[in-house]
Structure formats: structure tokens, C-alpha cells
Amino acid sequence: MQRREFLKNTAFATAATTGVAMGIGSMTEVMAASPVQTELGNIVAPLARPMIKKSLKWGMVKEDLSIMDKFKMLKDIGYDGVELDSPDKLDMKEVLAARDKTGLELPGTVNSMHWKLPLSDPDPKKREECVKSIEKALWDTKQYGGTTVLVVPGVVNAQVSYAEAYERSRAELKKLLPVAEKTGVKIALENVWNQFLISPLEAAKYVDDFKHPMIGWYFDVGNVLRYGWPVSWIEALDKRILKIDLKEFSFKKQNDLGLWKGFDVEFFDGDCNWPEVNKALQKIGYSGWASAEVSGGDRKRLQTIKDFMDKIFAA
């Protein structure tokens, strides 16, 4: 046996043994989790799996149950966490009791006012109200034990120019950075169909210009297909990505039925290339949460979504 083949087989066998000891099921996972020795004898650190924890949005849970029973159901299905809206009308004591009882994590929250009262609104009073709502979300998230608040940075429309949205949103977000510092919770800006920050390089620069570690990006894989390819966004945003939202998008449905119908498709039936997304995330060193943001439903539907997420994680 030649030395090249011997080293290859030895590395594979070592990885398999290590994987059994770690309780890893598939050989793909084994090789991802185990160090491999090169021909020169160097130990190459394993690449971390990019998506390792499954979450979803609270509004996707349509069962008529108590907070505690919803948490129990999600944990039983196999989710690791759930993201709540903030501000909201949920009783925090009930939420925290359900979290502690079930072990279901609260990785972050989604600000509930950034569409109704955007940070780019012409009315300064409305912008102020949105800032206050994000402040509350930051403090709520700290109590929940989460690390991010998802914020839509601004909206461009017939009444608000691109330049106005840029200037106003930056000014308002700067006011929130001291609160982010106090809470230890980061502001995660998300790419949505708000006609704002629609280029990955611009999005990266927008974050960088704050020159602050408490602001980053909440990357939505499906949303960007209207403007480009997920891999391009991942490469440009790089370490700025704090968390991942998962949804699918179909060019065919968009073209045949209308723009918004592009989202009306199950995972793997659209145009998101999940293996390439995983490779790109792995390349930038992302390893963390991925949250489904699709049409929810009852227990059966939530189980289906979780099963799709398992396939995405392994793609």
C-alpha cells in the first residue's frame, strides 16, 4: 500500500473510532467532527458544522395550548429553541418557567414594531417609539437568556428615499448601542423585502461603519434570492452573521404566479441550494442557530418543518 493511501485510510479509521466514542451517527458527521492528519503529518482542525441548533418563530405555533404546553410540545418534537416577539403580551414569568421546566432555549427575540414604526419613518416621534420598543426587546432578551434582537433597519418607499432611510436608521441605531452594551444582547439586522440594503457589500459596509461589536446581521437565506445568491451574501457578510433564518423560494412560482408566491413552496422544492449554503457558512466559520420562518401550524406541521430542518442541517 502506498504511503498516501495508508495515511488516508488511517485518518478515516481514526475518525470513525472517534465518532463512535462521541456518539455521532453518520460518517459525514464523524469526518466533520474529527481531526484528520495530512500526508505531512499536520493535524488539521475539523470544520464546524454550520447549523447546529434548531429554532422557529413563536407565531408559527398554532396549537391552542398554554405557554408551558407549547414549550413541551416543541421540545418533544426536537426543537432546541424558539424565538419570541418583543414587545409582546406574553407573561414573562410563564415563559421563564416554561423555559426552565422544558430546557427549550430562547436564543433571541424579534422586534415587533420595526414594520409598523420603522426606524426610517419621517416622523421622529414614531422613530422614537420604535427605539423604545427595541430597548425593551434588548432587556427582555437578556432576561430570556438570549443573545440577539432581530431588527429591520429601515424601509424605503414612495415617502422615504434611500438616502433618508440610510441616515435616519443609522442615527436611531446608534442610540441603541449603549443599551446593547449593558444587556450584552446584540442587534441583528435582517435582510427583508424593505427595498433597503439590497446588496451584500452594502449590507456589510452598513454594519462596519458602526465600528461596534454589538451590531451584526441576521441572515435570511430565502429572502435574498430576489436580489442575488445566498452564497454571495454569506461570503460578503462573513463574521457579521449572528444567526440564520431558513425559508425556501421558487423562481418558477414567482414567475408563474407572482412575486410573493415564490415563498409558497416547501423546503427543497425551491431554488435554495442548501449544500452550497452549508459550504459557504462552514467556510466563514459559522456554527450556531438556524431558525425556521415559514408557515406554521399544528404539531404535525411543526414536526414536518423540523424534519426538513434536519435535512438542511445535513445537506
Side-chain angles (χ1 to χ4, degrees):
M1 181 184 297
Q2 293 185 358
R3 185 170 182 269
R4 180 192 299 268
E5 191 67 21
F6 172 78
L7 286 171
K8 179 181 177 181
N9 292 342
T10 300
F12 190 87
T14 301
T17 303
T18 305
V20 172
M22 294 173 64
I24 301 173
S26 71
M27 188 53 63
T28 300
E29 290 174 312
V30 167
M31 295 308 293
S34 305
V36 176
Q37 188 174 21
T38 68
E39 290 185 47
L40 297 177
N42 300 321
I43 300 297
V44 180
L47 290 173
R49 291 173 56 195
M51 304 183 207
I52 57 175
K53 287 192 173 184
K54 301 176 188 69
S55 180
L56 75 167
K57 310 303 181 187
W58 181 250
M60 292 167 56
V61 185
K62 304 300 184 182
E63 292 272 12
D64 185 16
L65 300 169
S66 66
I67 291 174
M68 178 67 77
D69 286 339
K70 285 183 178 181
F71 270 59
K72 288 179 178 178
M73 178 182 66
L74 292 176
K75 187 67 174 180
D76 184 56
I77 290 172
Y79 288 99
D80 301 295
V82 61
E83 287 197 331
L84 309 180
D85 289 338
S86 180
D88 62 18
K89 296 180 180 180
L90 298 180
D91 186 301
M92 180 169 285
K93 290 183 178 179
E94 287 187 50
V95 171
L96 294 177
R99 179 201 66 182
D100 295 343
K101 177 74 173 179
T102 63
L104 191 74
E105 297 180 60
L106 298 167
T109 63
V110 179
N111 178 255
S112 59
M113 305 298 288
H114 52 206
W115 276 114
K116 181 181 179 182
L117 302 167
L119 293 173
S120 55
D121 196 282
D123 187 344
K125 291 184 178 179
K126 291 183 179 180
R127 298 200 302 270
E128 180 183 8
E129 191 173 346
C130 185
V131 167
K132 289 180 179 178
S133 76
I134 298 172
E135 286 182 359
K136 177 168 172 48
L138 288 165
W139 286 108
D140 284 351
T141 305
K142 176 180 173 60
Q143 288 189 263
Y144 289 144
T147 58
T148 56
V149 173
L150 189 159
V151 174
V152 172
V155 178
V156 174
N157 53 36
Q159 291 73 44
V160 179
S161 73
Y162 208 104
E164 288 171 334
Y166 205 96
E167 180 180 354
R168 290 170 186 162
S169 63
R170 288 188 60 79
E172 301 302 336
L173 286 167
K174 284 180 180 179
K175 297 174 185 177
L176 289 159
L177 293 176
V179 183
E181 289 178 352
K182 291 177 183 177
T183 59
V185 176
K186 295 185 178 183
I187 299 168
L189 309 176
E190 189 175 52
N191 49 292
V192 296
W193 288 8
N194 50 342
Q195 314 306 322
F196 185 51
L197 303 178
I198 56 179
S199 155
L201 296 178
E202 180 190 23
K205 184 179 185 301
Y206 186 87
V207 171
D208 289 348
D209 284 350
F210 284 100
K211 295 181 174 61
H212 202 288
M214 298 306 292
I215 192 163
W217 205 265
Y218 203 125
F219 179 62
D220 189 303
V221 180
N223 280 351
V224 301
L225 279 168
R226 180 182 177 185
Y227 304 111
W229 300 102
V231 170
S232 297
W233 279 77
I234 293 167
E235 290 174 348
L237 292 171
D238 201 351
K239 301 298 183 183
R240 303 166 188 84
I241 295 177
L242 303 175
K243 287 193 174 77
I244 304 289
D245 261 349
L246 301 179
K247 63 166 64 79
E248 188 62 84
F249 190 81
S250 166
F251 293 135
K252 187 177 188 308
K253 283 208 168 185
Q254 169 196 280
N255 294 334
D256 292 348
L257 302 174
L259 183 60
W260 286 93
K261 288 295 184 180
F263 289 124
D264 189 17
V265 62
E266 290 284 23
F267 287 116
F268 295 99
D269 289 337
D271 292 290
C272 288
N273 189 327
W274 297 109
E276 290 302 313
V277 167
N278 274 330
K279 287 179 185 177
L281 289 171
Q282 197 170 53
K283 186 176 180 180
I284 67 170
Y286 181 85
S287 185
W289 286 95
S291 181
E293 190 182 29
V294 296
S295 297
D298 59 12
R299 182 189 181 102
K300 182 178 179 181
R301 171 61 181 162
L302 299 177
Q303 178 70 60
T304 297
I305 295 169
K306 184 264 179 185
D307 292 343
F308 276 128
M309 293 180 76
D310 285 339
K311 294 178 181 178
I312 290 172
F313 279 35

